[in-house]
Amino acid sequence: MNSNMEMSTIEVPTVDGIKRKEDEVSHTEPISFQYFLDLVGTSGPWNYLVFLLCATYSFVSPFQTLSYQFLGDTPDHWCHIPELVDANWTDLQILRFAVPFDNATEKYDGCLMRNLNYSSAAELGYEESLGQLDALTIDDREIKCPTRDFNLTDFPSTVVTEWDLVCNRRFLYSTTFSASFFASLFTSPLTGFIIDAFGRRLSLLVSLALFIPSGLLAAASTNFVMYLILRILVFQFNMCCYMASYVLFRYWTVRTWTFRYRTLHYWTARY
């Protein structure tokens, strides 16, 4: 028996049943996935199934960005005055009595209140307090609200109402969105290398396994710092899932010239 592996000519059926010759195929060389993809083509049921699975996640992915507008809805708000609230004053009575009205915006100020003797006003009642407003006035200054009440008619709870992200804490509202994109400046290139190093399928499955519980924990956050960290993680896992599914789809269904640096090329050259 000849010790050298003989080169042979084989005939492989294509998708349409036509015989195609593969000349001089060496059985000593490993056959890659790209070889079989070239044989079966890129328009079969399996290819469409992969496309639908990848597209399903890609359809859900943008909602992580759009949810920022709904989770951070800012309803009307005004100063919380415990003395008047305990005296069963209505929200409208508290607004008219204690909150300055801005003629420019035609709205009540959500961050300031009049410096009045609210304990005495609670004892007198709403109607009598309006008649003795000058006597109840400590000075003409408008002071900052220690806490606020929110109009919860449209949204019973948002991150703004949950952690009072208005007035001097308003910058924290924008932080929830910008921090995720800032973190992606450092994690995005690393994500590409991780996907290439450990494989697209494994990276996709692990990212999905971490993405779901991170989102649930973010919804159950007990403080703003916990919520911010989890939202950053959700954003990064979401991006990793999207990149892995996109490259996996391209690799499994599209004939390409090379895939040595496919993920790095996708993230740098295309963006």
Side-chain angles (χ1 to χ4, degrees):
M1 181 176 179
N2 191 350
S3 59
N4 296 327
M5 185 66 66
E6 294 182 355
M7 308 298 288
S8 61
T9 300
I10 63 172
E11 291 185 355
V12 182
T14 58
V15 177
D16 56 5
I18 300 175
K19 300 291 184 177
R20 181 163 62 94
K21 287 188 176 183
E22 296 292 339
D23 295 327
E24 303 299 326
V25 177
S26 175
H27 295 287
T28 59
E29 297 178 358
I31 300 178
S32 65
F33 180 82
Q34 187 70 34
Y35 170 80
F36 291 105
L37 184 61
D38 291 337
L39 296 181
V40 300
T42 58
S43 302
W46 182 81
N47 305 103
Y48 291 124
L49 177 61
V50 172
F51 169 76
L52 289 176
L53 292 175
C54 294
T56 300
Y57 175 78
S58 299
F59 176 78
V60 178
S61 178
F63 287 99
Q64 292 301 317
T65 303
L66 296 176
S67 64
Y68 170 78
Q69 298 296 331
F70 298 95
L71 294 174
D73 180 76
T74 306
D76 294 333
H77 53 89
W78 56 90
C79 294
H80 175 75
I81 305 174
E83 296 88 349
L84 303 184
V85 173
D86 294 339
N88 296 321
W89 285 34
T90 66
D91 292 339
L92 184 59
Q93 289 174 340
I94 295 175
L95 284 171
R96 289 177 175 175
F97 178 74
V99 180
F101 185 80
D102 191 341
N103 292 321
T105 61
E106 297 184 350
K107 292 183 178 181
Y108 288 98
D109 196 305
C111 302
L112 299 173
M113 63 182 185
R114 298 187 180 97
N115 193 13
L116 306 175
N117 188 339
Y118 293 108
S119 298
S120 299
E123 296 176 358
L124 293 174
Y126 174 69
E127 296 295 340
E128 191 170 350
S129 295
L130 286 179
Q132 301 185 30
L133 185 60
D134 292 338
L136 295 173
T137 301
I138 298 176
D139 55 49
D140 294 332
R141 293 184 303 113
E142 295 177 352
I143 59 180
K144 295 181 179 181
C145 307
T147 56
R148 272 158 287 275
D149 290 322
F150 292 88
N151 183 357
L152 305 179
T153 303
D154 296 328
F155 294 93
S157 178
T158 67
V159 295
V160 174
T161 62
E162 195 74 21
W163 295 298
D164 195 25
L165 304 184
V166 292
C167 301
N168 60 329
R169 291 172 54 86
R170 185 61 179 176
F171 71 96
L172 295 176
Y173 167 73
S174 301
T175 302
T176 59
F177 191 68
S178 58
S180 298
F181 280 95
F182 180 77
S184 67
L185 293 176
F186 304 95
T187 59
S188 295
L190 180 62
T191 300
F193 286 111
I194 291 175
I195 292 175
D196 274 337
F198 296 98
R200 289 106 192 121
R201 180 177 178 274
L202 179 61
S203 300
L204 177 59
L205 294 177
V206 172
S207 297
L208 281 174
L210 296 174
F211 171 77
I212 296 175
S214 298
L216 295 176
L217 289 174
S221 299
T222 57
N223 56 72
F224 177 75
V225 175
M226 177 182 176
Y227 172 79
L228 179 62
I229 294 175
L230 288 171
R231 285 297 297 176
I232 293 176
L233 292 177
V234 167
F235 188 87
Q236 305 311 315
F237 292 141
N238 173 63
M239 180 180 60
C240 185
C241 290
Y242 181 82
M243 289 179 61
S245 61
Y246 177 85
V247 178
L248 193 65
F249 167 72
R250 290 288 303 273
Y251 180 57
W252 280 359
T253 60
V254 180
R255 300 175 185 175
T256 54
W257 47 274
T258 182
F259 285 98
R260 170 173 290 186
Y261 302 109
R262 46 193 168 271
T263 306
L264 183 61
H265 164 76
Y266 161 75
W267 189 250
T268 56
R270 296 179 66 89
Y271 289 91

